[in-house]
Amino acid sequence: MTTWTDHATDRPITLAAPSGIDRSAHHRLDEAWLAAAWSHPTTRVFVVSGGQALVDDTPDGRTELVMTPSFEAPPTENHRYFLGTDQEGVRYFALQKDSLPGRMDQSARPAGLREAGALLSERDAGLLVHAVALENWQRLHRFCSRCGERTMIAAAGHIRRCPACGAEHYPRTDPAVIMLVRDEQDRALLGRQVHWPEGRFSTLAGFVEPGESIEQAVVREVAEEAGVTVGEVEYVASQPWPFPSSLMLGFMAQATSSLIQVDGEEIHEARWFSRDDLRAAIESGEVLPPSGISIAARLIELWYGEPLPRG
């Protein structure tokens, strides 16, 4: 495997850009430090619930996470997650609640990463990605996989411990490959999943299986989903994708065959697009490109040579 070196990758990928937050993992087991950090007047807190948080649109056109000092935050017994510290020394926490709090001024609105990820600053997007990933894991892994006992939160939300057998459980991240496949004519292979709306096309993707390298996963997934064989594979970049717990590993791949045979189970339709084909299809509304928040859009843009048109 080689690494893609196009300078277009210098532009940060949404949800993967440097956030300016030091996660300060060495403080997660220091209860005295965490208590002092929580009580500090500069500390900022936001609530996450069901993958959403409150965001606010400012008069100057920005979108921000709604954060409050810790003394204004709603109470919670255990679900308080330390996310890190910025360069000014401000500490950030997320609170997991069953619902988002109301706002007296009625100006805030609930939003998830799909809606607000591309609108938030790199700092706010990074904080929300971290909080949503922890919330998803906490909700789905409350019991010990060894003995079945209910586990307890530790390390400021980053560990669950079993009081019965002593096992420690850590947040799970599932590696997945996502790839822009090109043929000898430099056309791009895009597919439409069975459950997607008519016209929605994107790159192929799939999870890495046990005992498999990421390069092998690229080759296998393209063959399984579209019947196309792949030779050279080039790594481009990665993106956290907490829906609920994936890490997307982006690739450019070179096809060694062009005949398409979709599996009919995951992929309903797949087509080769030239740049002119794709531009015309998007502008006419025949093709709906992937959301700008996804690394899929970036992979297509790297091949396309510029930002995708919007129909």
Side-chain angles (χ1 to χ4, degrees), residues 282-297:
I282 292 175
E283 291 177 346
S284 70
E286 177 189 355
V287 165
L288 304 174
S291 164
I293 193 177
S294 169
I295 192 175

Side-chain angles (χ1 to χ4, degrees), residues 23-307:
R23 295 198 173 195
S24 303
H26 57 289
H27 289 310
R28 292 174 185 167
L29 295 172
D30 188 339
E31 294 297 335
W33 186 94
L34 291 170
W38 176 259
S39 302
H40 198 278
T42 64
T43 292
R44 290 296 176 263
V45 181
F46 65 94
V47 175
V48 60
S49 179
Q52 292 189 319
L54 290 178
V55 300
D56 209 349
D57 299 314
T58 65
D60 59 359
R62 293 177 294 112
T63 300
E64 297 180 336
L65 270 178
V66 174
M67 291 189 269
T68 66
S70 56
F71 61 83
E72 293 182 3
T76 182
E77 294 182 1
N78 297 310
H79 297 275
R80 187 168 77 191
Y81 310 143
F82 173 59
L83 304 179
T85 307
D86 69 16
Q87 294 178 345
E88 284 71 45
V90 177
R91 288 82 174 234
Y92 296 90
F93 288 81
L95 302 182
Q96 178 180 326
K97 302 289 287 184
D98 292 333
S99 61
L100 295 176
R103 291 279 288 176
M104 295 296 292
D105 55 17
Q106 299 298 312
S107 65
R109 57 186 171 87
L113 285 165
R114 294 183 188 275
E115 300 87 1
L119 305 175
L120 295 170
S121 68
E122 293 175 0
R123 183 203 68 179
D124 285 5
L127 289 170
L128 188 55
V129 167
H130 192 173
V132 167
L134 286 178
E135 184 210 17
N136 283 329
W137 173 67
Q138 293 283 358
R139 288 186 184 277
L140 297 176
H141 296 82
R142 294 176 295 171
F143 298 91
C144 180
S145 58
R146 290 185 181 179
C147 69
E149 183 72 26
R150 180 180 287 274
T151 53
M152 302 176 64
I153 296 174
H158 295 76
I159 294 176
R160 292 194 72 102
R161 289 198 179 105
C162 179
C165 70
E168 288 189 345
H169 304 280
Y170 296 84
R172 174 174 173 170
T173 298
D174 301 315
V177 292
I178 183 166
M179 43 275 173
L180 191 286
V181 181
R182 299 167 295 166
D183 69 358
E184 292 183 351
Q185 302 177 49
D186 200 25
R187 297 179 300 176
L189 178 63
L190 302 180
R192 184 166 71 84
Q193 291 190 17
V194 172
H195 63 275
W196 284 357
E198 189 70 29
R200 173 71 69 192
F201 279 82
S202 187
T203 53
L204 303 183
F207 287 104
V208 180
E209 293 188 347
E212 183 177 53
S213 72
I214 54 178
E215 298 93 336
Q216 291 170 333
V218 171
V219 174
R220 175 185 53 77
E221 284 289 347
V222 175
E224 288 179 355
E225 294 186 349
V228 173
T229 56
V230 163
E232 185 178 4
V233 174
E234 296 178 284
Y235 173 74
V236 178
S238 64
Q239 180 187 41
W241 196 248
F243 304 106
S245 57
S246 299
L247 176 66
M248 305 302 294
L249 305 166
F251 296 88
M252 292 289 187
Q254 187 64 45
T256 58
S257 68
S258 58
L259 178 63
I260 296 174
Q261 293 181 306
V262 297
D263 61 8
E265 296 181 2
E266 289 188 61
I267 302 298
H268 176 73
E269 179 184 3
R271 293 163 52 184
W272 292 105
F273 290 88
S274 69
R275 292 171 180 80
D276 289 340
D277 292 339
L278 186 59
R279 180 187 303 109
I282 292 175
E283 291 177 346
S284 70
E286 177 189 355
V287 165
L288 304 174
S291 164
I293 193 177
S294 169
I295 192 175
R298 178 59 56 81
L299 294 174
I300 298 173
E301 287 176 351
L302 289 177
W303 161 80
Y304 189 72
E306 59 184 271

